[in-house]
Amino acid sequence: MKTRITDLFGIEHPIIQGGMHFVGLAELAAAVANAGGLGMITALTQGSPERLKAEIARCREMTDKPFGVNLTFLPSVTPPDYPGYIQAIIDSGIKIVETAGNNPQKYLPALKDAGVKVIHKCTSVRHSLKAEAIGCDAVSVDGFECGGHPGEDDVPNMILLPRAAEELKVPFVASGGMADGRSLVAALALGADGMNMGTRFIATQEAPVHEKVKRAIVGASELDTRLVMRPLRNTERVLDNPGVERVLEKERELGAAIQFSDIAPLVAGLYPRVMQNGELDAGPWSCGMVAGLIHDVPTCKELIDRIMREAEQLIRQRLEGMLSA
């Protein structure tokens, strides 16, 4: 399948594995790349530019296909060494970067000079247009269904994607609620050039997370996510658990007076505990409503092959079959 995204990134299938904290390691990025999609290593999980370089080198030992690096720009009292991460990406010869969070504009010239293509993750049309205006090559448009941070506008992909298609000139992928061939065909029909999957890739054999995490996603329905940190305007969609209930109780108790410091002990440093140790109830961890569509734990190749097979059948048989001769 050829789209503007497959052409831009030099990949076989228009499927991207989004950056995920303590999930986007070399094993997963390489498996997605080898299956014809675009795998992503999550930079901030590595903890330092030097360790990111080592992880990129480790991924290169497992694949000779294109893969990228996710770099999320977070508001922080003591921000990570972003210039160091940018330099590590360039020095390692990476040609595709997924940026997220705050505006990446100040880092774009260095990336562009090194021939790096940048796809920025956005949760609204206005942010997507800003990403296009500052020179991003593509956009990942995240609907309200997505795991992690869906923004504050609460617009689902059925509306957000066609709105993005009306406004954007650069290619974009659909993110949030993407799991199968139906997702891909729907995303293409709504104007996207491919799809980005997060939660679905956690429930794969190569995802370097605890088996309990994979089983929790397979066992969850579309009704099992909650939204935390809404009062702080830093909304995150997470899988419901007792740790999430503790955060929501604190939010109810403090109301509009809540500060991040009030919940920091309940949310900080969770991802290694959850993803590596399987402490599912430790607190909030990102999961999309798409969990309701996830029923197995295939290899990345089995998953991507199945998606492409389903998509072709839908387009060639079901949809073409509906057209009168």
Side-chain angles (χ1 to χ4, degrees), residues 122-164:
C122 301
T123 59
S124 67
V125 174
R126 66 185 181 280
H127 292 148
S128 300
L129 285 169
K130 180 66 175 177
E132 180 179 81
I134 65 174
C136 291
D137 300 281
V139 176
S140 176
V141 178
D142 277 29
F144 185 54
E145 311 92 321
C146 73
H149 296 279
E152 307 301 321
D153 293 344
D154 300 3
V155 181
N157 267 331
M158 203 72 181
I159 309 301
L160 189 59
L161 297 176
R163 278 290 295 121

Coordinates of all heavy atoms in Angstrom, one line a residue, residues 122-164:
C122 N -0.1 15.7 17.7 CA -1.0 16.8 18.0 C -2.4 16.3 18.3 O -2.8 15.3 17.8 CB -1.1 17.8 16.8 SG 0.4 18.5 16.2
T123 N -3.1 17.1 19.2 CA -4.4 16.6 19.6 C -5.5 17.6 19.1 O -6.6 17.5 19.5 CB -4.5 16.6 21.1 OG1 -4.2 17.8 21.7 CG2 -3.5 15.5 21.7
S124 N -5.1 18.5 18.2 CA -6.1 19.5 17.7 C -5.7 19.9 16.3 O -4.5 19.8 15.9 CB -6.2 20.7 18.6 OG -5.0 21.4 18.6
V125 N -6.6 20.5 15.6 CA -6.3 21.0 14.2 C -5.4 22.2 14.4 O -4.4 22.4 13.6 CB -7.6 21.4 13.5 CG1 -7.3 22.1 12.2 CG2 -8.4 20.1 13.2
R126 N -5.6 23.1 15.3 CA -4.8 24.3 15.5 C -3.4 23.9 15.8 O -2.4 24.6 15.2 CB -5.4 25.2 16.5 CG -5.4 24.7 17.9 CD -6.1 25.7 18.9 NE -6.1 25.3 20.2 CZ -6.9 24.3 20.8 NH1 -7.8 23.8 20.0 NH2 -6.8 24.0 22.0
H127 N -3.1 22.9 16.6 CA -1.8 22.5 16.9 C -1.1 21.9 15.7 O 0.1 22.0 15.4 CB -1.7 21.6 18.1 CG -2.1 22.2 19.4 ND1 -2.7 21.6 20.4 CD2 -1.9 23.5 19.8 CE1 -2.9 22.4 21.4 NE2 -2.4 23.6 21.1
S128 N -1.9 21.1 14.9 CA -1.4 20.5 13.7 C -1.0 21.5 12.7 O 0.0 21.4 12.0 CB -2.5 19.6 13.1 OG -2.9 18.6 14.0
L129 N -1.8 22.6 12.5 CA -1.4 23.7 11.6 C -0.2 24.4 12.1 O 0.6 24.8 11.2 CB -2.6 24.7 11.5 CG -3.8 24.1 10.7 CD1 -5.0 25.1 10.8 CD2 -3.4 24.0 9.2
K130 N 0.0 24.5 13.4 CA 1.2 25.2 13.9 C 2.4 24.3 13.6 O 3.5 24.8 13.2 CB 1.1 25.3 15.4 CG 2.3 26.0 16.1 CD 2.5 27.4 15.6 CE 3.6 28.1 16.4 NZ 3.9 29.5 15.9
A131 N 2.3 23.0 13.8 CA 3.4 22.0 13.4 C 3.7 22.1 12.0 O 4.9 22.1 11.6 CB 3.0 20.6 13.8
E132 N 2.7 22.2 11.1 CA 3.0 22.4 9.7 C 3.7 23.7 9.4 O 4.7 23.7 8.6 CB 1.7 22.3 8.9 CG 1.8 22.5 7.4 CD 0.4 22.4 6.8 OE1 -0.3 23.4 6.8 OE2 0.0 21.3 6.3
A133 N 3.3 24.8 10.1 CA 3.8 26.1 9.8 C 5.3 26.2 10.2 O 6.1 26.9 9.6 CB 3.0 27.1 10.5
I134 N 5.7 25.5 11.3 CA 7.1 25.6 11.7 C 8.0 24.7 11.0 O 9.2 24.7 11.2 CB 7.2 25.3 13.3 CG1 6.8 23.9 13.6 CG2 6.4 26.4 14.1 CD1 7.1 23.6 15.1
G135 N 7.4 23.8 10.1 CA 8.3 23.0 9.2 C 8.3 21.5 9.5 O 9.1 20.8 8.9
C136 N 7.4 21.0 10.3 CA 7.3 19.6 10.5 C 6.9 18.9 9.2 O 6.1 19.5 8.4 CB 6.3 19.2 11.6 SG 6.9 19.7 13.3
D137 N 7.4 17.7 8.9 CA 7.1 17.1 7.7 C 5.8 16.3 7.6 O 5.3 16.1 6.6 CB 8.3 16.1 7.4 CG 9.6 16.8 7.3 OD1 9.9 17.3 6.2 OD2 10.4 16.7 8.3
A138 N 5.3 16.0 8.8 CA 4.1 15.2 9.0 C 3.5 15.4 10.4 O 4.2 16.0 11.2 CB 4.3 13.7 8.7
V139 N 2.3 15.0 10.6 CA 1.7 15.2 11.9 C 1.0 13.9 12.2 O 0.5 13.2 11.4 CB 0.6 16.3 11.8 CG1 -0.1 16.4 13.1 CG2 1.3 17.7 11.5
S140 N 1.0 13.5 13.5 CA 0.2 12.4 14.1 C -0.9 13.1 14.8 O -0.8 13.8 15.8 CB 1.1 11.6 15.0 OG 0.3 10.6 15.6
V141 N -2.2 12.9 14.3 CA -3.3 13.5 14.9 C -4.0 12.6 15.9 O -4.5 11.5 15.5 CB -4.3 13.9 13.8 CG1 -5.6 14.5 14.4 CG2 -3.7 14.9 12.8
D142 N -4.0 13.0 17.2 CA -4.5 12.1 18.3 C -5.9 12.5 18.6 O -6.2 13.6 19.1 CB -3.6 12.3 19.5 CG -2.4 11.4 19.4 OD1 -1.9 11.1 18.3 OD2 -1.9 11.0 20.5
G143 N -6.8 11.5 18.4 CA -8.2 11.8 18.8 C -8.4 11.5 20.3 O -7.5 11.0 21.0
F144 N -9.6 11.9 20.8 CA -9.9 11.8 22.3 C -9.9 10.4 22.8 O -9.7 10.2 24.0 CB -11.3 12.4 22.5 CG -11.7 12.5 23.9 CD1 -10.9 13.1 24.9 CD2 -12.9 12.0 24.3 CE1 -11.3 13.2 26.2 CE2 -13.4 12.1 25.6 CZ -12.6 12.7 26.6
E145 N -10.0 9.4 21.9 CA -10.0 8.0 22.3 C -8.6 7.5 22.8 O -8.5 6.5 23.4 CB -10.4 7.1 21.1 CG -11.6 7.5 20.4 CD -11.3 8.4 19.2 OE1 -10.5 9.3 19.3 OE2 -12.0 8.2 18.2
C146 N -7.5 8.3 22.4 CA -6.2 7.8 22.6 C -5.8 7.5 24.0 O -6.3 8.2 24.9 CB -5.2 8.7 21.9 SG -4.8 10.2 22.8
G147 N -4.9 6.6 24.2 CA -4.2 6.4 25.5 C -3.2 7.5 25.7 O -2.7 8.1 24.7
G148 N -2.8 7.8 26.9 CA -1.9 8.9 27.2 C -2.7 10.2 27.2 O -3.8 10.3 27.7
H149 N -2.1 11.3 26.6 CA -2.6 12.6 26.7 C -3.4 13.0 25.5 O -2.9 13.2 24.4 CB -1.4 13.6 26.9 CG -0.7 13.4 28.2 ND1 -1.2 13.8 29.4 CD2 0.4 12.7 28.4 CE1 -0.3 13.5 30.3 NE2 0.7 12.8 29.8
P150 N -4.8 13.1 25.6 CA -5.6 13.4 24.5 C -5.9 14.9 24.3 O -6.8 15.2 23.5 CB -6.9 12.6 24.8 CG -7.0 12.7 26.3 CD -5.5 12.7 26.8
G151 N -5.2 15.7 25.0 CA -5.5 17.2 25.0 C -6.8 17.5 25.8 O -7.3 16.7 26.5
E152 N -7.3 18.7 25.6 CA -8.4 19.2 26.4 C -9.6 19.5 25.6 O -10.6 20.1 26.1 CB -7.9 20.4 27.2 CG -6.6 20.3 28.0 CD -6.7 19.1 29.0 OE1 -7.8 19.0 29.6 OE2 -5.7 18.4 29.1
D153 N -9.6 19.2 24.3 CA -10.8 19.6 23.4 C -11.8 18.5 23.3 O -12.9 18.7 22.9 CB -10.3 19.9 22.0 CG -9.5 21.2 22.0 OD1 -9.5 22.0 23.0 OD2 -8.8 21.4 21.0
D154 N -11.4 17.2 23.6 CA -12.3 16.1 23.7 C -13.0 15.8 22.3 O -14.2 15.4 22.3 CB -13.4 16.3 24.7 CG -12.9 16.4 26.1 OD1 -11.6 16.4 26.3 OD2 -13.7 16.5 27.1
V155 N -12.2 16.0 21.2 CA -12.8 15.7 19.9 C -12.3 14.3 19.4 O -11.1 14.1 19.3 CB -12.3 16.8 18.9 CG1 -12.9 16.5 17.5 CG2 -12.7 18.2 19.4
P156 N -13.3 13.4 19.2 CA -12.9 12.1 18.7 C -12.5 12.1 17.2 O -12.8 13.0 16.5 CB -14.2 11.3 18.9 CG -15.3 12.3 18.8 CD -14.7 13.6 19.3
N157 N -11.9 11.0 16.8 CA -11.3 10.9 15.5 C -12.3 11.0 14.4 O -11.9 11.4 13.2 CB -10.4 9.7 15.4 CG -8.9 10.0 15.7 OD1 -8.5 11.1 15.5 ND2 -8.2 9.0 16.2
M158 N -13.5 10.6 14.6 CA -14.5 10.7 13.5 C -14.7 12.1 13.0 O -15.1 12.3 11.9 CB -15.8 10.1 14.0 CG -16.7 9.6 12.9 SD -16.1 8.1 12.2 CE -17.4 7.8 11.0
I159 N -14.4 13.1 13.9 CA -14.5 14.5 13.5 C -13.1 15.1 13.3 O -12.9 15.8 12.4 CB -15.2 15.3 14.7 CG1 -16.5 14.6 15.1 CG2 -15.4 16.8 14.3 CD1 -17.5 14.5 14.0
L160 N -12.2 14.7 14.2 CA -10.9 15.4 14.1 C -10.1 15.1 12.8 O -9.5 15.9 12.3 CB -10.1 14.9 15.3 CG -8.7 15.6 15.6 CD1 -8.9 17.1 15.8 CD2 -8.0 15.0 16.8
L161 N -10.2 13.8 12.4 CA -9.4 13.5 11.2 C -9.9 14.2 9.9 O -9.1 14.7 9.2 CB -9.4 11.9 11.0 CG -8.7 11.1 12.1 CD1 -8.9 9.6 11.8 CD2 -7.3 11.5 12.2
P162 N -11.2 14.2 9.6 CA -11.6 14.9 8.4 C -11.4 16.4 8.6 O -11.1 17.1 7.6 CB -13.1 14.6 8.3 CG -13.5 13.9 9.5 CD -12.3 13.3 10.2
R163 N -11.4 17.0 9.8 CA -11.1 18.4 10.0 C -9.6 18.6 9.7 O -9.3 19.6 9.0 CB -11.4 18.8 11.4 CG -12.9 19.1 11.7 CD -13.3 20.4 11.0 NE -12.5 21.6 11.6 CZ -11.8 22.4 10.8 NH1 -11.6 22.2 9.5 NH2 -11.1 23.4 11.4
A164 N -8.8 17.7 10.1 CA -7.4 17.8 9.8 C -7.2 17.7 8.3 O -6.3 18.5 7.7 CB -6.6 16.7 10.5

